[in-house]
Amino acid sequence: MGRGPFFDLLPWTRELMPRVLITGITGFVGCHLARHLAAEGYGVFGLATDPNRCDVQAVRFYTVDVTDREALRGAIDDCDPDAIVHLAGLSHVGESWKRPGDYLRVNFGGTRNLVHAADGRRVVFASSAEVYGNVSMDRQPIVEDQPLDPRSPYAMTKACAEAVALDRGALVVRSFNSIGPGQAPQFALPSFASQLAAIGRGECEPVIHVGDLSPRRDFVHVSDAVRGYQSVIEAGDDGGIYNLASGVATSIGGALERLQKLSGVEAEIRRDESRVRVVDIPLLQGNCGRLRALGWTPSSNLDDALRDLWRETVARDAQEGPQA
């Protein structure tokens, strides 16, 4: 990958590659990003409440909660990063309806603390396509200039966090649906994979419990997602907004069908009303032209992501044994 203008601004006394602090480094994208940047030669630092959850050996950790402003500032001043990728936050849309106060405190309050503590350093803020809300078909794939219309507490906290981040010159990445190995099982496709694996082992009845399968989402393999963040770190414009998307939308039901075929496990699909969201946006499909202009292109598709997710699920569940 070519090096962007960000590198030209680094003091010549710095290391050959810049130092990057990743908040939320123990999360799904955070762990993948840390491993990727370390492999690329970056000096990687991590911030999390439980650093033991990440297995990246090249990382120096700070055990800090982003809602603790003074501790956050102390960690940033200590590692003195050239750039910060702010991934820390609460990310489950459905859960946000039950805990809106927590989502506001962490997603908005934590981001406000971060951009102030950054003190002018380059910040890449991980937002979400959920901020766009229910966009009409004639305006899909969605471009970054689309007015925001958040429809959930989660989306609202991300939209508010964007505003405070952009006000301080941060770069914003609006991520569509990242998928791949290591994603938490409370999300739809990892949940389906875990259920299929358990059925395949004969641990439960051959039934997959699902919510609404009709929404269509733009899925991005996590390996492509972390390269997208790297592109924004290196070549993005201060105050710029970038969709992290594939440009292709697939229904949740269609993704489940492909996952089931891949697994070779036969099961009944049964709707579970407790899994249906209060509000679910019918379609989120992103235009990734701005990110492509930085030199990024996706190298994997949904089938690749499902295959990697399935392999990791089978291996992990076999190692952990039957779930209680």
Side-chain angles (χ1 to χ4, degrees):
M1 179 178 294
R3 304 305 179 192
F6 171 53
F7 283 78
D8 297 333
L9 300 177
L10 294 177
W12 67 270
T13 53
R14 278 291 199 202
E15 296 91 341
L16 180 62
M17 295 294 288
R19 303 191 304 203
V20 175
L21 172 66
I22 303 171
T23 73
I25 196 170
T26 58
F28 169 47
V29 175
C31 279
H32 282 276
L33 181 60
R35 284 190 286 268
H36 174 74
L37 293 182
E40 289 283 298
Y42 279 74
V44 178
F45 298 79
L47 189 149
T49 55
D50 182 9
N52 294 322
R53 292 176 54 200
C54 191
D55 61 357
V56 182
Q57 298 302 314
V59 168
R60 177 178 176 184
F61 289 99
Y62 294 86
T63 305
V64 173
D65 190 312
V66 292
T67 62
D68 185 337
R69 180 179 299 182
E70 292 308 313
L72 183 59
R73 183 180 296 276
I76 292 172
D77 288 345
D78 183 69
C79 69
D80 190 21
D82 298 299
I84 302 169
V85 182
H86 182 40
L87 298 172
L90 300 175
S91 58
H92 195 279
V93 176
E95 187 69 18
S96 73
W97 291 97
K98 303 174 185 177
R99 302 166 53 202
D102 289 337
Y103 275 69
L104 183 64
R105 179 177 58 84
V106 175
N107 291 354
F108 171 67
T111 301
R112 180 182 56 192
N113 290 344
L114 186 283
V115 295
H116 282 274
D119 196 23
R121 296 176 178 88
R122 189 172 181 84
V123 174
V124 177
F125 170 60
S127 187
S128 166
E130 290 282 336
V131 300
Y132 289 120
N134 192 2
V135 179
S136 62
M137 287 288 296
D138 63 313
R139 296 189 64 83
Q140 306 256 5
I142 304 166
V143 296
E144 290 87 349
D145 294 335
Q146 173 68 30
L148 305 189
D149 185 21
R151 298 296 183 95
S152 68
Y154 166 73
M156 180 64 74
T157 62
K158 282 294 189 180
C160 291
E162 276 194 19
V164 73
L166 289 169
D167 184 60
R168 303 285 291 199
L171 300 86
V172 169
V173 175
R174 290 182 182 150
S175 180
F176 284 68
N177 289 59
S178 296
I179 178 177
Q183 190 170 22
Q186 66 260 37
F187 293 93
L189 294 180
S191 170
F192 300 157
S194 289
Q195 292 182 66
L196 284 166
I199 293 168
R201 294 191 300 270
E203 295 173 4
C204 59
E205 62 176 340
V207 176
I208 303 174
H209 299 276
V210 304
D212 185 0
L213 297 180
S214 64
R216 296 164 59 199
R217 293 292 182 263
D218 189 324
F219 295 100
V220 180
H221 195 300
V222 67
S223 63
D224 287 328
V226 298
R227 289 191 302 103
Y229 278 104
Q230 182 185 1
S231 293
V232 174
I233 292 169
E234 294 178 356
D237 295 324
D238 290 343
I241 302 172
Y242 300 90
N243 283 339
L244 181 51
S246 70
V248 178
T250 305
S251 71
I252 305 296
L256 173 55
E257 289 178 8
R258 290 156 80 165
L259 181 60
Q260 191 169 3
K261 181 177 179 181
L262 176 68
S263 72
V265 177
E266 295 186 5
E268 173 193 347
I269 308 300
R270 186 178 298 173
R271 183 180 169 102
D272 179 351
E273 293 302 322
S274 69
R275 296 171 181 259
V276 177
R277 291 179 178 176
V278 177
V279 175
D280 215 344
I281 299 166
L283 173 63
L284 284 173
Q285 182 178 0
N287 181 313
C288 55
R290 284 189 186 176
L291 190 55
R292 284 180 177 272
L294 301 184
W296 175 85
T297 55
S299 60
S300 303
N301 57 30
L302 176 57
D303 288 327
D304 296 323
L306 292 173
R307 186 177 303 108
D308 290 344
L309 172 63
W310 174 247
R311 288 172 178 167
E312 187 263 350
T313 301
V314 171
R316 182 198 65 223
D317 289 359
Q319 183 178 29
E320 293 178 353
Q323 301 299 306

